Amino acid sequence: DLRQLPLFSAEQRFELGLTGTVDVVDGHGHILASSNPTRVLTNVSQDEVVNKLFVSGQPGVENCLGCSNDQLSELTDEVVAFAPLAEAPWGVVIRQKAAEVFSLVRRLILVTGILALVTLLGAFFLVWVTTKSVIKPVQTLTEAAQRIAEGDLDTPVSGLSDHLYTRDELGILAQSFAGMRRQINRSMTEIQSLNQNLDARVRERTQAALDSQLEAQAARDDLRAIIDALSDELVVLDVSKHEVQLANRIAQEHHADQGNMIGIPYYQVFPCLHPQSEAPCECPIPEVLASGEPVRSIHYHPIDGDRSQRILEIVASPMRDASGEITRVVELLRDVTEEHSMRESLLRRNQQLAILNAISTTVNKSLNLQELLDHTLTEVLRLTAVDVGAVFLLEDVLGKLELAACQGLSPEAAHLASEMGMLDSSCGGILDRGEVVVVPDIQNYRGKRARSLKKEHLSSLFHVPLTTKGTTLGSMCLGTRKPVQFTAEEEDLLKAIGSQIAVAVENARLYAEVQQKEQLRGELFSKALNAQEDERKRIARELHDETSQTLTAMLFTLDDAAECAETSETRQRLKALRGLAEHTLDGVHKLIFDLRPSMLDHLGLVPALRTYAESRLAEQGVRVVVDETSAPRRLEQDVETAVFRVVQEAINNIARHAAARNVWIQFNFNHQSLKINVEDDGIGFEPSAIQASPGSQRVLVGSRGLGLMGMRERLEILGGELEITSLPGQGTELVISVPLNGRRETIA
């Protein structure tokens, strides 16, 4: 019973219309399932359309409304669709009436026909509107354009001002066309006005050109007058015609033997420019023609009957035509003899100043007299035209000249040269007169001195006094191996060199005296310090041996007296007296330590300073840190004493002025030096306010300044240094450096 089987089931519902059915047919034409239940199990094998589709076994659609009799014997108005199943020998047949299937197509054909009719009517309307709104305005614009082309700019563009045309492109174009006509009309009016103004300006410019031509003619006349008034020669040479085109009055006068220079070939004035000349040409014209640039040259012309010469400066400049070709050359000839002489004089002066500057630099390099004289003589021989030289200095004791330095000759020859050419003995004449003595040629002298100097190949001598502040300190003898004529300028230069050497000699002598006095002062100061230390030792020893012992005995006596006192009032007074004696004894011990701490002699520098710093600063609540960055060493007694006094003064300054809370003292011993840093966190000070040097005098302010001066002087005796770094409110740091080279050191 196939009616109960769920063979027909659709996953997606689709509309079959009023006449449509879906059947599942087997191979014998039986309907196994149908969308119309009444058709189930009916046989459709008699349906030729279905049989045709089923036999073909392929999906297909048949509309038998148009079928022919030889194909199908049955005519129907249905549309049949067939699709075979893949898993069974069945097929699916869908039927529907042709009228219902093609109803949508007929409706579409009807709608399409109506739309075509509407479109045709719209096209006719569009053509009518276009003809009215485009073609007619275009014809109107064309007529207006023809009128404008014919020159009619006054007639307006008519027919386009209607409001119908002002909202589309042709209306905008018409308005623009009308605006263009009006603008062209205004432009034509302005052009006519400008043409009238231009004609007036042309007439004015023509008149101005005529006036300028007259002025140019006047300027040419003035220029000609100026050229003729020049004190220098000026000629203009025509390169293409090879002739003189222009010459001023001075040039005409200078070449008066040529007659009128204008128009003559220029090689008659300048023979070297002749085309067939083989002589070397000094004229700059060929160089101007070759380079195209102005050329400046100097020509020397000897003056007849005179050893001097005339110096001409020639400046040749090219003149070009409109195409840039050089057609003329302008030559300006100027006499620069005097200027050249002044230039050479200035050059000589500069050379002399350079020599003096070099000599001055040399004499100021050293304050050692012998080294100074040797270097100075070397520079004099290098910078001047002399070959040998010697310096003689006046001895104050004997009043005679002694050879101090010589270069280029032996001491014996130097002594002979110093006596050559003098009216009296040796250089005494120079010392008496303070003047320069010149021996131009030794060959004119005969005698033993002259023969000896001739063996040295000397020809000329020059004796220069060494004078400063009106006092002659000696002389400088210079010599040359060739005869030389010294000019007045050269004599003045050598005298200036002599003055420089005299000043340097005086400075060297003064420096030597200052050094000697400084050494003597140091020795005296050292002796004074040693005497002071000896006196301190003596006073400390006497205080220890006498005063301290006496006060100690007084203490014991007062103790005994207090035990024997009968009344309490007497015992109280004796007790107060004992306290006063004990306080006095402590003050004596402190004074002994200040005068000469025995710890310095027994334990050394570092323990003594540590003890002194703690005893001096601890009572003020100052924290003291003493540090050693190397192993302690014992130094010579005078070194330890001097360093102790320097650091002692630094500690005293901290106690008096610094108001510090902490003090750091660091010792650093090595084989070369001893370095001590003393630093505090006190109020600091301005070192420049403590020590100033106005002029050459030192001004030390207050006890701190005196203490710093004493510290520096003690260190200077040892060859040491003191550096002070301080700022107000930022504490103070003292760096003490003492060299230990060559000093005895022992391990403590």
Side-chain angles (χ1 to χ4, degrees):
D1 188 2
L2 297 178
R3 289 175 297 180
Q4 303 299 326
L5 295 178
L7 297 178
F8 186 79
S9 175
E11 293 182 359
Q12 183 177 357
R13 188 174 182 83
F14 56 93
E15 295 294 335
L16 294 177
L18 297 177
T19 61
T21 60
V22 178
D23 300 330
V24 178
V25 183
D26 63 2
H28 300 287
H30 295 95
I31 299 175
L32 302 180
S34 176
S35 60
N36 186 358
T38 61
R39 292 175 58 83
V40 177
L41 298 180
T42 60
N43 194 327
V44 293
S45 59
Q46 301 301 321
D47 193 339
E48 295 183 4
V49 175
V50 174
N51 289 337
K52 176 183 177 182
L53 295 173
F54 200 94
V55 171
S56 65
Q58 297 295 330
V61 178
E62 287 292 339
N63 182 3
C64 292
L65 290 175
C67 297
S68 59
N69 292 331
D70 58 350
Q71 292 178 340
L72 293 175
S73 60
E74 181 182 358
L75 299 177
T76 177
D77 60 351
E78 291 182 338
V79 177
V80 181
F82 172 79
L85 298 181
E87 302 296 334
W90 300 345
V92 177
V93 179
I94 301 175
R95 296 174 177 272
Q96 193 172 12
K97 292 294 183 178
E100 188 176 3
V101 172
F102 296 107
S103 62
L104 292 177
V105 176
R106 295 188 183 98
R107 191 181 300 117
L108 180 60
I109 293 172
L110 178 61
V111 171
T112 302
I114 294 172
L115 289 177
L117 180 60
V118 172
T119 302
L120 183 60
L121 293 176
F124 281 113
F125 179 76
L126 181 61
V127 170
W128 178 77
V129 171
T130 302
T131 303
K132 183 178 180 180
S133 61
V134 176
I135 297 177
K136 184 177 179 180
V138 169
Q139 291 176 350
T140 303
L141 289 176
T142 302
E143 294 174 358
Q146 291 176 354
R147 289 197 302 272
I148 292 174
E150 294 173 355
D152 184 4
L153 299 176
D154 297 327
T155 303
V157 181
S158 61
L160 295 177
S161 59
D162 190 81
H163 66 281
L164 296 176
Y165 303 108
T166 57
R167 298 179 182 179
D168 56 9
E169 287 77 4
L170 285 175
I172 296 173
L173 178 61
Q175 293 177 357
S176 301
F177 202 77
M180 181 184 69
R181 179 194 62 78
R182 290 191 295 270
Q183 184 65 31
I184 292 175
N185 195 7
R186 286 195 297 268
S187 299
M188 293 297 294
T189 304
E190 292 177 359
I191 289 173
Q192 292 176 359
S193 177
L194 291 175
N195 287 333
Q196 295 175 358
N197 294 334
L198 181 60
D199 292 339
R201 293 175 63 184
V202 167
R203 290 192 296 271
E204 293 176 359
R205 293 294 180 88
T206 303
Q207 184 62 37
L210 294 176
D211 296 339
S212 299
Q213 186 176 5
L214 295 176
E215 292 178 0
Q217 183 63 38
R220 282 196 296 269
D221 297 339
D222 294 340
L223 179 61
R224 180 65 191 190
I226 293 172
I227 292 174
D228 289 337
L230 289 175
S231 59
D232 302 330
E233 300 180 26
L234 186 144
V235 293
V236 178
L237 308 178
D238 192 327
V239 178
S240 60
K241 297 180 180 180
H242 305 286
E243 63 184 18
V244 178
Q245 191 177 45
L246 176 66
N248 66 347
R249 179 179 56 82
I250 298 298
Q252 294 280 8
E253 293 176 357
H254 187 265
H255 300 279
D257 55 339
Q258 301 289 339
N260 186 10
M261 296 177 59
I262 307 301
I264 67 173
Y266 54 63
Y267 53 79
Q268 293 184 8
V269 183
F270 308 102
C272 63
L273 293 179
H274 196 281
Q276 298 179 354
S277 175
E278 297 180 356
C281 183
E282 297 179 354
C283 183
I285 294 178
E287 188 175 352
V288 172
L289 297 177
S291 64
E293 300 292 334
V295 175
R296 177 180 175 274
S297 60
I298 301 295
H299 291 185
Y300 298 89
H301 298 278
I303 300 176
D304 297 337
D306 194 352
R307 293 184 178 181
S308 61
Q309 57 184 358
R310 181 169 175 256
I311 304 175
L312 293 179
E313 180 187 50
I314 302 178
V315 178
S317 303
M319 296 181 66
R320 304 177 184 271
D321 57 10
S323 62
E325 295 292 334
I326 299 176
T327 58
R328 291 173 293 179
V329 175
V330 180
E331 274 198 358
L332 184 66
L333 296 85
R334 187 162 63 95
D335 192 340
V336 294
T337 305
E338 184 176 355
E339 294 180 7
H340 190 268
S341 177
M342 293 179 62
R343 189 180 298 110
E344 289 184 347
S345 177
L346 288 175
L347 182 60
R348 288 194 300 270
R349 287 289 184 183
N350 289 336
Q351 292 175 349
Q352 293 173 3
L353 290 175
I355 293 173
L356 286 176
N357 183 54
I359 297 297
S360 176
T361 303
T362 302
V363 299
N364 290 322
K365 282 183 178 179
S366 174
L367 289 173
N368 182 278
L369 183 59
Q370 189 61 48
E371 182 180 354
L372 181 149
L373 293 176
D374 290 339
H375 289 173
T376 303
L377 271 181
T378 302
E379 285 296 305
V380 170
L381 268 61
R382 183 179 68 87
L383 297 173
T384 61
V386 298
D387 299 317
V388 299
V391 176
F392 297 85
L393 297 180
L394 182 64
E395 294 294 335
D396 294 336
V397 179
L398 302 178
K400 63 179 293 185
L401 290 171
E402 294 292 340
L403 179 64
C406 63
Q407 294 278 348
L409 72 169
S410 62
E412 294 79 7
H415 281 289
L416 293 176
S418 67
E419 299 173 356
M420 192 68 188
M422 298 298 154
L423 299 178
D424 51 2
S425 61
S426 72
C427 293
I430 295 179
L431 299 180
D432 295 339
R433 299 190 298 271
E435 297 177 355
V436 176
V437 176
V438 180
V439 181
D441 193 356
I442 298 178
Q443 303 297 329
N444 297 330
Y445 289 81
R446 300 181 182 274
K448 183 178 179 180
R449 296 175 185 171
R451 289 194 298 271
S452 299
L453 293 177
K454 290 177 183 178
K455 292 180 181 180
E456 296 284 341
H457 304 288
L458 293 179
S459 297
S460 300
L461 294 177
F462 198 88
H463 302 283
V464 182
L466 306 181
T467 305
T468 177
K469 298 179 182 178
T471 303
T472 303
L473 303 181
S475 69
M476 179 174 60
C477 182
L478 304 175
T480 61
R481 303 194 184 280
K482 295 181 180 180
V484 176
Q485 292 290 336
F486 290 97
T487 63
E489 292 181 353
E490 292 173 338
E491 292 182 6
D492 293 339
L493 173 62
L494 293 177
K495 287 181 67 175
I497 294 174
S499 298
Q500 291 277 356
I501 297 174
V503 172
V505 169
E506 185 179 18
N507 291 339
R509 286 178 174 177
L510 292 175
Y511 177 75
E513 292 178 4
V514 170
Q515 289 292 99
Q516 185 178 3
K517 291 180 180 179
E518 185 67 21
Q519 182 179 1
L520 181 60
R521 187 193 67 82
E523 294 176 357
L524 292 176
F525 185 72
S526 179
K527 291 180 180 180
L529 291 178
N530 292 334
Q532 185 183 29
E533 291 297 330
D534 293 340
E535 185 65 17
R536 284 173 177 266
K537 288 181 182 179
R538 186 187 66 78
I539 295 174
R541 189 166 49 251
E542 289 181 358
L543 289 175
H544 182 272
D545 295 340
E546 297 179 6
T547 306
S548 179
Q549 298 296 332
T550 301
L551 290 173
T552 302
M554 183 184 293
L555 290 175
F556 286 112
T557 302
L558 291 174
D559 289 339
D560 294 339
E563 292 177 358
C564 298
E566 297 179 354
T567 63
S568 61
E569 182 179 358
T570 302
R571 284 195 296 271
Q572 291 294 332
R573 289 188 177 183
L574 290 175
K575 186 176 180 181
L577 184 60
R578 187 186 186 283
L580 180 62
E582 187 175 2
H583 178 72
T584 304
L585 182 60
D586 291 339
V588 171
H589 286 164
K590 185 179 295 185
L591 181 61
I592 293 172
F593 188 82
D594 289 343
L595 288 173
R596 180 68 183 182
S598 58
M599 189 179 296
L600 179 63
D601 297 327
H602 298 141
L603 299 180
L605 179 64
V606 178
L609 285 174
R610 179 184 287 109
T611 302
Y612 182 80
E614 292 175 351
S615 63
R616 185 74 173 84
L617 299 175
E619 61 185 14
Q620 297 183 3
V622 181
R623 177 175 173 268
V624 181
V625 177
V626 180
D627 188 20
E628 301 174 64
T629 60
S630 59
R633 288 179 171 80
R634 293 301 304 271
L635 307 177
E636 294 183 1
Q637 184 177 0
D638 58 341
V639 177
E640 286 188 340
T641 301
V643 174
F644 177 84
R645 294 304 178 193
V646 171
V647 181
Q648 181 185 29
E649 181 63 28
I651 295 172
N652 291 335
N653 285 336
I654 294 173
R656 295 190 194 102
H657 310 290
R661 302 293 298 169
N662 297 279
V663 175
W664 299 270
I665 303 176
Q666 186 181 69
F667 295 86
N668 183 13
F669 290 87
N670 56 45
H671 297 290
Q672 301 295 329
S673 64
L674 165 63
K675 186 176 181 180
I676 304 174
N677 290 65
V678 181
E679 185 178 358
D680 66 74
D681 59 354
I683 60 175
F685 64 97
E686 186 65 43
S688 60
I690 297 298
Q691 176 174 332
S693 55
S696 60
Q697 301 293 329
R698 281 186 172 183
V699 177
L700 297 171
V701 181
S703 60
R704 179 185 293 184
L706 294 173
L708 292 176
M709 183 182 68
M711 295 165 65
R712 292 185 187 278
E713 290 183 347
R714 287 180 182 272
L715 290 174
E716 286 178 359
I717 294 175
L718 301 177
E721 295 179 352
L722 174 64
E723 297 181 7
I724 303 175
T725 304
S726 180
L727 286 174
Q730 299 186 16
T732 304
E733 181 182 9
L734 275 69
V735 180
I736 302 168
S737 302
V738 179
L740 300 179
N741 293 337
R743 296 187 180 274
R744 176 179 57 83
E745 298 182 4
T746 59
I747 302 299

